[in-house]
Amino acid sequence: MDRGVAALNADLIGVAGSRAALETPALLLDATAFEKNVATLAGLAREAGMGLRPHAKTHKCAGIAKAQIDAGALGIACAKPGELLALFDAGVASLMLTAPVSSRRKIDRLVQAAAKGCALSVVADRAGLVADYGAAARAAGATISVLVDCDTGLGRTGVTTPEGAVALARMIAAEPGLIYAGVQAYAGHVQHVHRTDERRAVNRAANEGLSTILAGLAEAGLAPKIVTGGGTGSHALDFEDQVLTEVQAGSYVFMDEGYRPVELHGANGPVFDFSMFVMVTIIAHNAKGEAITDGGSKSFAIDGPPPRAFLNGREIGTIAWVGDEFGKLVLPPDVTPPAAGARIECTVPHCDPTANLHDAIHLVRGDRLEAIWPIEGRGLSD
């Protein structure tokens, strides 16, 4: 990285104590917590006999995607063509686009990647999209896998009936250049339901609708090989229910304040650790003596609970926003504000859009900077 804090921090890689010397605002990835999170979910998937296809919308980073694949992931899910193509260019070969598109130019770009070696799978929610993917595949001399997109309660995209799913599956199977691969049913409305019993009820209602669709496909001789969906909030329930064949969890690699209240494994405590932090620096004190930081809404996505602030590994308060570029450290009355120049590590309200605000993520292990990974899909929301 040749610009911004990544360029300023590059010469600190491998230096003892470099974590505390980073220029800020810097997006951090704690290697110990990150590796634990990746290994934990991969192990849970293996124990359940199910696949894992982590979602790159969370991180948009080839370094993270490769670590997930090395741990056993089947491939990587992507929300948008731009981030998928960026990851392919960065050397990630097995990629699934989990949302429909309506642009033939984007379809052509995706299929061209397949012709160059991308193991590409996509979803379709309507006949016209199947026809467009088929025409593009024939023109490029490529073959792509297509899944029927199903809506089981999210209310975003996808068919809702067995008849609709069967009609699309038949059309996919009949198109030269397309392979009918299965179905996608992402129950996004389940993921942040806090209590386990309530989340289980919502997830099972979604799975009842999905099971009806699966039964209709099986009766038509189109039983899907892949049934993909789920996420960080529902992963344990999905492993338990065994309706899906693979889970698309994303946020588990980082965690954020939005997921903190969610009982991911009942009331047994957190199963994943916070691994993403934004490091900021105290740059001044206002007239009230409050510490002002160099990180505001251009460094944190603020659509979630406020960040918790840590000084030398000890939680000392929270961050409030005082501008796009600046934050304010909110401390208990008995805590003295840190001096100017102090580095503060902060959790994030929402990890996915926070990653999208940064060009690079600083991999730290213990007290030192280990590597700087580019976020190849940063800003590619197309």
Side-chain angles (χ1 to χ4, degrees):
M1 302 295 296
D2 58 0
R3 66 177 193 149
V5 294
L8 293 172
N9 291 329
D11 61 356
L12 295 175
I13 293 173
V15 176
S18 52
R19 180 172 183 162
L22 293 174
E23 295 295 334
T24 64
L27 187 66
L28 305 188
L29 180 62
D30 184 277
T32 301
F34 162 67
E35 290 164 1
K36 174 182 176 289
N37 291 347
V38 170
T40 295
L41 189 58
L44 291 171
R46 283 193 297 271
E47 290 173 11
M50 288 173 59
L52 185 61
R53 194 180 300 272
H55 217 301
K57 66 181 181 181
T58 298
H59 55 75
K60 296 174 175 268
C61 172
I64 293 175
K66 291 172 183 178
Q68 292 171 318
I69 291 171
D70 288 345
L74 300 170
I76 299 296
C78 298
K80 293 294 188 70
E83 69 189 36
L84 185 150
L85 293 168
L87 291 180
F88 177 62
D89 288 342
V92 182
S94 181
L95 296 162
M96 175 185 287
L97 183 66
T98 61
V101 293
S102 60
S103 163
R104 179 57 192 269
R105 293 174 68 186
K106 290 179 180 177
I107 290 170
D108 288 343
R109 287 286 307 278
L110 290 165
V111 173
Q112 287 164 13
K116 295 176 182 177
C118 180
L120 177 68
S121 51
V122 299
V123 304
D125 64 338
R126 59 191 184 275
L129 183 52
V130 174
D132 284 344
Y133 273 126
R138 288 192 299 275
T143 301
I144 63 172
S145 297
V146 183
L147 299 95
V148 176
D149 190 23
C150 301
D151 179 5
T152 58
L154 179 57
R156 191 162 64 192
T157 64
V159 299
T160 58
T161 65
E163 294 79 12
V166 168
L168 278 183
R170 283 177 173 158
M171 185 174 183
I172 295 165
E175 282 278 351
L178 304 186
I179 297 171
Y180 165 60
V183 302
Q184 173 184 258
Y186 173 56
H189 59 298
V190 175
Q191 306 308 315
H192 282 84
V193 178
H194 291 180
R195 288 177 52 88
T196 302
D197 54 350
E198 295 173 0
R199 195 166 63 260
R200 177 176 282 112
V202 178
N203 202 54
R204 287 189 171 164
N207 281 339
E208 286 174 7
L210 174 58
S211 295
T212 300
I213 291 173
L214 297 179
L217 288 165
E219 185 177 347
L222 293 162
K225 179 180 178 181
I226 296 172
V227 183
T228 188
T232 297
S234 67
H235 76 275
L237 305 177
D238 293 322
F239 292 153
E240 177 183 311
D241 292 344
Q242 296 281 310
V243 177
L244 304 177
T245 65
E246 61 181 46
V247 169
Q248 294 180 5
S251 297
Y252 79 100
V253 292
F254 292 149
M255 299 308 293
D256 57 30
E257 292 297 332
Y259 261 116
R260 193 172 177 225
V262 180
E263 298 174 351
L264 293 184
H265 275 209
N268 297 325
V271 62
F272 304 117
D273 294 337
F274 276 73
S275 68
M276 171 190 274
F277 300 88
V278 175
M279 178 182 278
V280 296
T281 300
I282 306 299
I283 59 168
H285 296 82
N286 64 18
K288 296 180 180 179
E290 298 167 317
I292 304 301
T293 75
D294 60 356
S297 61
K298 291 179 180 175
S299 300
F300 299 80
I302 62 175
D303 56 332
R308 289 173 292 140
F310 293 79
L311 175 64
N312 300 324
R314 180 173 63 91
E315 184 175 346
I316 60 170
T318 59
I319 298 292
W321 313 116
V322 291
D324 295 344
E325 289 85 7
F326 308 105
K328 179 176 69 176
L329 193 55
V330 180
L331 302 171
D334 58 342
V335 176
T336 300
R343 265 69 164 184
I344 307 295
E345 295 188 14
C346 307
T347 59
V348 301
H350 189 179
C351 56
D352 300 28
T354 296
N356 193 51
L357 293 170
H358 296 263
D359 289 329
I361 191 161
H362 295 71
L363 185 71
V364 292
R365 191 183 304 274
D367 73 345
R368 70 183 63 199
L369 175 65
E370 189 168 282
I372 300 176
W373 287 346
I375 300 176
E376 289 89 351
R378 179 258 201 273
L380 296 177
S381 299
D382 54 347

